[in-house]
Amino acid sequence: MPAKSKAQQMAAGAALAAKKGDKKKSELKGASRSMEKSMSEEELHDMASTKRKGKPEHASSS
């Protein structure tokens, strides 16, 4: 599943780093913390590897 915004892509990258052990899980906040708990490493990789070009900073709520 590709990321819908730059913020979502960056949060997935942080969650992936924690899942792999490159970053402490205690350093995660907000969306990245919940992503780390609820998504597999493969799902996080797919979302984190999404190209940022043309993506909004934040996804719209509507």
Side-chain angles (χ1 to χ4, degrees):
M1 153 171 56
K4 295 181 180 178
S5 68
K6 292 178 186 179
Q8 191 178 46
Q9 187 264 346
M10 289 175 20
L16 180 61
K19 183 92 71 181
K20 287 183 171 183
D22 296 334
K23 186 174 189 168
K24 293 180 183 178
K25 291 182 181 182
S26 61
E27 294 176 3
L28 297 179
K29 297 178 182 176
S32 58
R33 176 170 274 184
S34 63
M35 284 177 164
E36 191 276 329
K37 290 179 182 177
S38 65
M39 297 175 76
S40 70
E41 193 171 317
E42 184 178 342
E43 290 172 318
L44 288 169
H45 182 269
D46 289 346
M47 190 173 281
S49 63
T50 302
K51 300 291 183 207
R52 289 192 209 175
K53 189 173 183 178
K55 299 277 186 210
E57 276 300 317
H58 297 279
S60 62
S61 59
S62 48

